Amino acid sequence: MTTKSTAILILGGYGAVGRHAAAALAGRHDVVVAGRDPGRARPVPGSRTARVDAADPASLAAALDGTGTVLMCAERDNARVARACLERGIHYLDVSASHPTLDAIAGLDGLARERGSAAALSVGLAPGVTNLLARHVTERSGADRVRVAVLLGSGEHHGPAALAWTLDGLAGLGGSWRARFPAPYGERTVHRFPFSDQHTLPATLGLADAVTGLCLDSRAFTALLAAAGRPAAARLLRRPRVRAALLSALAGVHVGGDGFAVTVEAGGAGASFSGRLQSRATGLAAALLAERLPLLPPGVSHIERLVDPVPFLTELAGHGFDLDLPR
């Protein structure tokens, strides 16, 4: 078993999510911000930097020595990294939004229980905050169907992995609905998008169905998103050269703001969470859960099975976000 004196290692810690998590944890914990190129790291006061290549078993093994908790903020052999942690009795969190990745890690539940380590999945905004809101509204309403709508700021900088994940998800667009977001966004058209919640929530909350959708703060970009999801466009996006060119173009385009909002509805009950910088919200949610993880039972669980939604979301909202829960 790990102790409070052991380090928290943040893999992929040079990205926006990792930096926000490190800033929240540094000073209270021994935090190591790690990646393949320490020269890219922006110094986070109170933390250390280290070169760690998660794809290299020897490099990873050396980094895990003396580590109590690993926060994975990269899409790089996540299931293998999770196994390496759990085999050593190290606690593990993953901010991945990829359902196949999360499903592969969930398959390590027996190993985690055997070694006495806890692993948390769906850690962030979507999935993460959305899962907790879904649990809250379904428990209050008694409904067994939930709709999750996510609005992201198209002006916030997103890394290559996030952009690639969004392009992959465009093939899953299908249908739309009108969702009401908190001010200043109001009612928007949301296009069905394959967030991992739609796979996770029916199993973890015993629901009949979960529908997830996406829109952007820019209405024009939302329309382009819907157009890109049409069959002909989706086939075109699968061509390597087209995909690479579009990713390069998107990396340099920032139209819109850096705000976000998520709203969840079930059986007439609704709840929302909103603010600025979804990467900051994800990093802070991961940091809050990282502090709780050593005290939680061993095993692999999604966030909605690990914490009570109201106190956790209330604490997260205290960092400058807006939370609206059904009364």
Side-chain angles (χ1 to χ4, degrees):
M1 295 294 291
T2 58
T3 67
K4 293 182 180 179
S5 62
T6 52
I8 298 176
L9 175 67
I10 304 178
L11 295 174
Y14 305 162
V17 171
R19 289 198 303 271
H20 285 303
L25 292 166
R28 298 194 305 275
H29 304 272
D30 180 12
V31 176
V32 181
V33 179
R36 288 178 292 175
D37 182 7
R40 290 180 48 220
R42 298 180 189 174
V44 175
S47 70
R48 297 182 284 131
T49 60
R51 184 191 182 282
V52 179
D53 185 353
D56 179 355
S59 176
L60 178 62
L64 294 180
D65 185 27
T67 296
T69 300
V70 167
L71 169 56
M72 186 65 164
C73 295
E75 289 286 340
R76 193 171 180 80
D77 298 324
N78 298 52
R80 184 182 57 78
V81 173
R83 176 179 288 277
C85 294
L86 300 179
E87 285 177 341
R88 293 166 170 80
I90 296 171
H91 306 301
Y92 179 85
L93 302 87
D94 202 308
V95 303
S96 175
S98 165
H99 171 64
T101 295
L102 299 180
D103 199 40
I105 299 170
L108 302 174
D109 180 66
L111 174 63
R113 293 175 184 273
E114 176 187 333
R115 302 301 171 89
S117 50
L121 306 179
S122 299
V123 178
L125 179 67
V129 169
T130 52
N131 300 51
L132 294 174
L133 292 176
R135 175 181 163 186
H136 186 72
V137 298
T138 54
E139 287 180 345
R140 295 301 180 275
S141 67
D144 66 351
R145 296 176 183 274
V146 67
R147 289 201 301 190
V148 177
V150 178
L151 181 151
L152 298 179
S154 49
E156 182 176 355
H157 173 76
H158 299 287
L163 292 174
W165 175 82
T166 303
L167 283 185
D168 291 338
L170 292 177
L173 289 176
S176 62
W177 74 91
R178 299 288 286 179
R180 179 162 294 280
F181 292 96
Y185 306 109
E187 191 171 279
R188 297 294 186 95
T189 297
V190 176
H191 299 278
R192 186 159 184 169
F193 192 85
F195 288 106
S196 61
D197 310 46
Q198 68 177 356
H199 304 285
T200 302
L201 296 176
T204 60
L205 300 181
L207 305 179
D209 189 33
V211 178
T212 57
L214 172 68
C215 69
L216 302 175
D217 61 343
S218 165
R219 296 179 188 271
F221 264 44
T222 299
L224 289 174
L225 185 77
R230 293 169 185 160
R235 286 195 296 271
L236 186 63
L237 289 176
R238 285 195 288 268
R239 297 180 181 178
R241 289 185 178 179
V242 174
R243 179 184 175 86
L246 185 56
L247 283 172
S248 177
L250 289 174
V253 175
H254 305 293
V255 177
D258 61 4
F260 71 85
V262 296
T263 182
V264 178
E265 186 275 330
S272 66
F273 187 88
S274 58
R276 293 182 57 249
L277 297 174
Q278 62 87 16
S279 58
R280 179 171 179 265
T282 292
L284 288 171
L288 291 178
L289 193 53
E291 292 185 310
R292 289 166 166 78
L293 201 56
L295 304 177
L296 297 175
V300 182
S301 301
H302 291 270
I303 191 172
E304 65 272 22
R305 305 314 309 171
L306 290 172
V307 298
D308 187 338
V310 175
F312 187 89
L313 291 173
T314 300
E315 184 176 355
L316 180 59
H319 290 272
F321 303 106
D322 295 316
L323 172 65
D324 184 21
L325 297 176
R327 302 184 186 280

